[in-house]
């Protein structure tokens, strides 16, 4: 059958490509008619511009094209393989690590039913990306009433603000150079928003935490300068989750900023989680998605408010050209696959 997919065919070039996929499915496969997919701007920009250090596995890092992204989406099950039990045709599902394409063929475990059914596609479409900060917050073992700073207010950071507030953090401090991003973080539930370029940044962070420093930091920029500045704002025995991908090696003053104050640096990549059986501080992606759906249904978070633009996949060339060159590219940009004729 015919399929259409967004492909990065060369650095800074995205095209909608037609190709054929098999009509039949393997026993454990599910074919999903995609409704919405979301751009993960940090990861997708790195791939779009041709960064080499894009994989957590060193031997997989390369600069080759084409590249195919789009791991966050929702859709409706069209057909199932003979062994599939958890979903049936007509079910609405979250597509976990599929692609920006019209029909996603994925293993059964990556088609996660949307429950309760009252949740809209717009409420569910960002939840795969939401697993990333959810995993980071869990790994810090955040406790009720502890202070949290979220450094970097792209889509990961804005979701982290909502989840930290839902988890009982107080205060939640949002940190970003962009005043519009700081404003949006306040709208998402942050108690304070701070410009890290201010001369009194470290003093301000201490002031907001009663002189102690920040208990838990969610570092969502992947930038060493931002990480170094955040480390100097930590409370003794604080915890820092490395959520952003630090793709370019640099230097940290480990003795003064980590070792002596007893700060924990925690690797919080989304794939650093159990495949089966959640345990305290580290859940499977299925359980994290289910938790987000409960939080969304209960009104404790609202990921739909993070959506800023919706485009037809046919507009992918223009959208990705903006992503490549505009450092203020908005968070929450979606493709609506039902707009394709």
């Amino acid at each position: 059958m015919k399929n259409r997919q967004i492909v990065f065919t060369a650095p800074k070039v995205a095209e909608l490509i037609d190709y054929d996929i098999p009509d039949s499915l393997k026993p454990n496969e599910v074919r999903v008619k995609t409704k919405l997919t979301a751009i993960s701007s940090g990861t997708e920009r790195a791939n779009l511009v041709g960064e080499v250090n894009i994989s957590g596995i060193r031997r997989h890092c390369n600069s080759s094209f084409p590249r195919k992204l789009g791991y966050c989406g929702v859709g409706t099950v069209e057909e199932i393989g003979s062994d599939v039990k958890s979903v049936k045709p007509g079910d609405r599902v979250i597509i976990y690590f599929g692609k920006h394409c019209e029909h996603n063929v994925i293993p059964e475990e990556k088609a996660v039913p949307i429950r309760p059914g009252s949740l809209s596609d717009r409420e569910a479409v960002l939840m795969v990306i939401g697993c990333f900060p959810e995993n980071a917050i869990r790994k810090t073992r955040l406790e009720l009433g502890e202070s949290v700073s979220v450094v970097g207010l792209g889509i990961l950071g804005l979701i982290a603000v909502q989840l930290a507030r839902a988890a009982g953090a107080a205060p939640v401090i949002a940190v970003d150079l962009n005043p519009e991003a700081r404003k949006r973080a306040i709208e998402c539930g942050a108690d304070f928003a701070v410009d890290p370029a201010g001369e009194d940044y470290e003093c301000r962070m201490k002031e907001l935490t009663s002189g102690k420093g920040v208990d838990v930091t969610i570092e969502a920029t992947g930038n060493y300068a931002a990480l170094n500045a955040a480390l100097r704002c930590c409370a003794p025995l604080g915890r820092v989750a490395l959520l952003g991908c630090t793709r370019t090696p640099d230097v940290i003053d480990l003795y003064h900023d980590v070792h002596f104050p007893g700060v924990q640096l925690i690797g919080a990549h989304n794939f650093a989680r159990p495949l089966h059986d959640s345990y305290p501080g580290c859940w499977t992606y299925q359980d994290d998605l289910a938790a987000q759906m409960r939080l969304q249904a209960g009104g404790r978070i609202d990921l739909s408010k993070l959506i800023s633009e919706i485009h037809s996949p046919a507009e992918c060339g223009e959208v990705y050209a903006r992503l490549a060159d505009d450092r203020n590219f908005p968070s929450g940009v979606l493709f609506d696959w039902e707009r394709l004729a």
Side-chain angles (χ1 to χ4, degrees), residues 13-335:
V13 177
E15 300 180 75
L16 186 65
I17 303 294
D18 290 16
Y19 67 104
D20 293 322
I21 58 175
D23 291 326
S24 60
L25 298 175
K26 295 177 182 177
N28 71 324
E29 286 183 333
V30 175
R31 189 173 69 242
V32 180
K33 179 70 167 65
T34 309
K35 292 185 177 180
L36 298 170
T37 56
I39 293 177
S40 177
S41 20
T43 298
E44 295 196 38
R45 184 184 184 279
N47 279 271
L48 177 64
V49 302
E51 283 194 13
V52 175
N53 194 20
I54 55 171
S55 174
I57 302 172
R58 287 188 177 89
R59 67 178 180 275
H60 292 171
C61 294
N62 61 72
S63 57
S64 63
F65 283 84
R67 298 179 179 185
K68 302 171 183 178
L69 274 292
Y71 52 75
C72 191
V74 294
T76 302
V77 175
E78 294 181 301
E79 188 176 346
I80 61 174
S82 58
D83 291 344
V84 173
K85 306 296 182 187
S86 61
V87 295
K88 63 184 183 304
D91 285 351
R92 293 168 55 242
V93 296
I94 293 173
I95 304 165
Y96 183 80
F97 275 81
K99 295 288 188 291
H100 286 303
C101 59
E102 189 175 11
H103 303 273
N104 267 282
V105 178
I106 53 178
E108 175 182 7
E109 63 270 16
K110 292 189 176 182
V112 180
I114 297 175
R115 296 182 180 133
S118 58
L119 289 178
S120 70
D121 295 332
R122 288 169 61 98
E123 289 172 319
V125 67
L126 295 174
M127 286 185 177
V128 172
I129 297 176
C131 283
F132 300 14
E134 192 173 7
N135 186 41
I137 290 169
R138 288 195 196 285
K139 288 190 169 187
T140 66
R141 301 295 188 96
L142 172 66
E143 294 192 10
L144 189 69
E146 286 192 302
S147 60
V148 168
S149 69
V150 178
V151 182
L153 300 173
I155 192 67
L156 290 177
L158 291 171
I159 295 175
V161 165
Q162 291 200 32
L163 291 173
R165 184 177 181 87
V172 177
I173 308 168
V175 178
D176 199 285
L177 294 168
N178 187 330
E180 288 301 315
R182 296 197 300 271
K183 178 182 177 182
R184 203 166 187 196
I186 293 294
E187 294 169 352
C188 286
D191 298 293
F192 305 100
V194 177
D195 182 354
E199 293 182 4
D200 60 347
Y201 173 46
E202 188 174 343
C203 293
R204 178 64 174 152
M205 297 296 279
K206 294 289 177 68
E207 175 187 326
L208 294 174
T209 54
S210 302
K212 178 185 178 185
V214 179
D215 296 309
V216 169
T217 298
I218 308 299
E219 206 301 304
T221 70
N223 179 284
Y224 266 94
L227 173 59
N228 278 317
L231 285 170
R232 292 192 293 273
C233 299
C234 286
L237 308 181
R239 291 96 73 203
V240 178
L242 303 177
L243 178 58
C245 295
T246 46
R247 302 183 191 279
T248 305
D250 210 308
V251 176
I252 294 173
D253 186 348
L254 292 172
Y255 179 63
H256 293 104
D257 294 338
V258 179
H259 182 50
F260 187 78
V263 169
Q264 298 178 50
L265 289 176
I266 301 167
H269 194 282
N270 180 61
F271 292 152
R273 62 166 74 237
L275 294 177
H276 309 285
D277 299 327
S278 298
Y279 57 88
C282 205
W283 288 22
T284 65
Y285 70 82
Q286 293 98 330
D287 285 345
D288 267 346
L289 286 171
Q292 285 184 74
M293 285 188 269
R294 292 193 297 273
L295 290 167
Q296 181 77 47
R300 291 171 172 81
I301 62 173
D302 184 3
L303 301 191
S304 66
K305 71 167 59 174
L306 302 180
I307 296 170
S308 56
E309 298 179 9
I310 303 179
H311 297 273
S312 166
E315 300 173 298
C316 65
E318 175 190 348
V319 172
Y320 280 108
R322 287 169 53 209
L323 176 61
D325 296 322
D326 184 359
R327 285 295 181 177
N328 293 318
F329 186 82
S331 300
V333 177
L334 309 184
F335 290 111

